[in-house]
Amino acid sequence: MGISLFKTGLLASSLLSVVLTAGPSLAGNTVLNVWDQFFSEEPNKLMNEFVAEFEKAHPGVEIKRNVLDTDSIRATLPSALAAGQGPDLFYYDAGPAFLGPLVEAGLVADLTQEYAARGWDKSLVAWPVERVTYANKIWGVPNEIEYTNVYVDLAVLDQLGMKDKLVADKDHPELLTLKSLDDFKAILEASKAKGIVPIAFGNRDPGRGGHLFSYFLTLTAGKDLVDKILFGDGRWDDPKVIDAWKLYKDYSTAGYYPPSPNAISYDEGNALFFNGAATTNITGTWLVGDIMGQVADPSKIDFFMLPSASPDLPLSAAAGIGSTFAVAEKSANKKLALDFLDFIMSKDAGKRWLKEASIVPPIKDIDIKGLDLPPMMQRVVEGATLPLSYNLDVVMPAEWNDAMKTGTQSLLDGSSTPEDVAAKMEQAWEKAKAAGRIWKAH
């Protein structure tokens, strides 16, 4: 899935459902029930501020937040919406495997006309909106532009004598990259020689391996080929898709991942990196907030973009949205929910998402001058302007995701080959297409 900056399961299972309200219920108030996943400190604080400010501007309105982690909202939201007892407004993963079934069940309000009426068709970046568009109708307001990248411990890189490998991209000088994938291999080999984990990677939740595959596919195939598969006659057993799986597998065979990554959680992999035991961490921009909040000296960490495998392909990454705000079809407070969305997706609010929560909203033309963003966050904003491809799990049907995720683990334990995994993905894709369960933005 496209993982939210702050819903990666960092909190323990005890934080399955935390109800936060802006104050005690007042008789006679119109109550707007909102379910979201902003439970980390900074975004949670910002959401509470948005709630308090909206309530102050709308006397007689009370907003009740129900804050859940990813697994909990997936488990409870569909049945709650079906029973008419769910939220008015909710924050949920987009894509055919997540929001798609709720749309098909008639549980989500069609926002197509609202986009024109409220100017969202002009104020929001187009490609994130495409991620919540099915059959020419728009079903949500996306948030959190995210993309894959490589975090690097600058102190470790200096220790390896490899700092000069980082170079400014010629077209985006604010972004760091490498001259070639061979330079990345040199950094990984030097790390291994020093007894330092080259890539901090935990794949107990195989969605993490899916992020690596999506990134590697962007490097080997490029967005055009992925578009051909998604919307044309391309195939998942294409040689360039297999090349992406080979890169994933080769890094394992070379010993660049920790031992037994299928037994390591995402949080444990991040901890290796945060504690200086790994040189790099391939994940995504959703980790910036945690780096700022959990690493004693965040200035020792930066990130770079991997160069494409072919000079014909541009600098890119696998991208998605953290989740989408959507309105319940059965809500009696649709207009109020939309008014609240207008409030939190304005340009002024966009600056606050960036500055206070380290989140890049899909809002056009935000002037970041004067925001005093940390250098790493400035890079995140610049990277969002690249010609980005897909973090695939959030645009793919469930059976394809199952084949892909199973493949991320079976390649690591040696029970399958890149060709096997690609073939199974193609079989799952054909099955989903025949059943009409694929994403069609148009």
Side-chain angles (χ1 to χ4, degrees), residues 303-432:
F303 77 83
F304 62 88
M305 313 299 295
L306 285 171
S308 296
S310 166
D312 297 331
L313 296 176
L315 190 71
S316 186
I321 54 175
S323 284
T324 183
F325 289 103
V327 178
E329 175 61 25
K330 296 182 180 181
S331 169
N333 297 311
K334 289 179 182 175
K335 182 181 182 303
L336 188 59
L338 293 165
D339 289 345
F340 183 63
L341 280 179
D342 247 344
F343 178 70
I344 65 175
M345 298 304 289
S346 67
K347 276 191 171 59
D348 286 342
K351 292 180 180 180
R352 296 172 66 183
W353 283 114
L354 281 168
K355 176 65 176 174
E356 299 175 36
S358 299
I359 285 173
V360 181
I363 301 170
K364 292 181 180 177
D365 303 323
I366 296 177
D367 185 1
I368 66 172
K369 294 177 182 176
L371 290 186
D372 193 28
L373 297 177
M376 188 161 30
M377 197 62 204
Q378 292 179 36
R379 293 196 202 281
V380 171
V381 174
E382 178 64 23
T385 68
L386 292 172
L388 299 167
S389 187
Y390 303 92
N391 236 343
L392 286 164
D393 59 349
V394 291
V395 298
M396 299 302 291
E399 53 263 67
W400 187 94
N401 274 331
D402 289 343
M404 182 270 291
K405 290 180 180 180
T406 299
T408 70
Q409 293 189 326
S410 63
L411 283 172
L412 297 179
D413 66 24
S415 60
S416 68
T417 67
E419 290 80 4
D420 293 336
V421 177
K424 289 179 180 177
M425 291 194 311
E426 177 60 23
Q427 291 168 7
W429 179 242
E430 293 297 334
K431 180 179 178 181

Side-chain angles (χ1 to χ4, degrees), residues 148-168:
T148 46
N149 57 4
V150 183
Y151 293 97
V152 61
D153 188 317
L154 296 175
V156 173
L157 198 64
D158 191 39
Q159 177 187 344
L160 298 174
M162 292 279 180
K163 264 195 171 180
D164 62 341
K165 296 291 185 185
L166 298 180
V167 296

Side-chain angles (χ1 to χ4, degrees), residues 21-23 45-58 61 63 65 340 343:
T21 65
K45 180 175 179 289
L46 180 60
M47 279 295 288
N48 280 337
E49 289 173 0
F50 283 150
V51 165
E53 292 163 17
F54 188 82
E55 287 178 335
K56 184 177 180 180
H58 297 77
V61 170
I63 297 178
R65 289 181 61 212
F340 183 63
F343 178 70

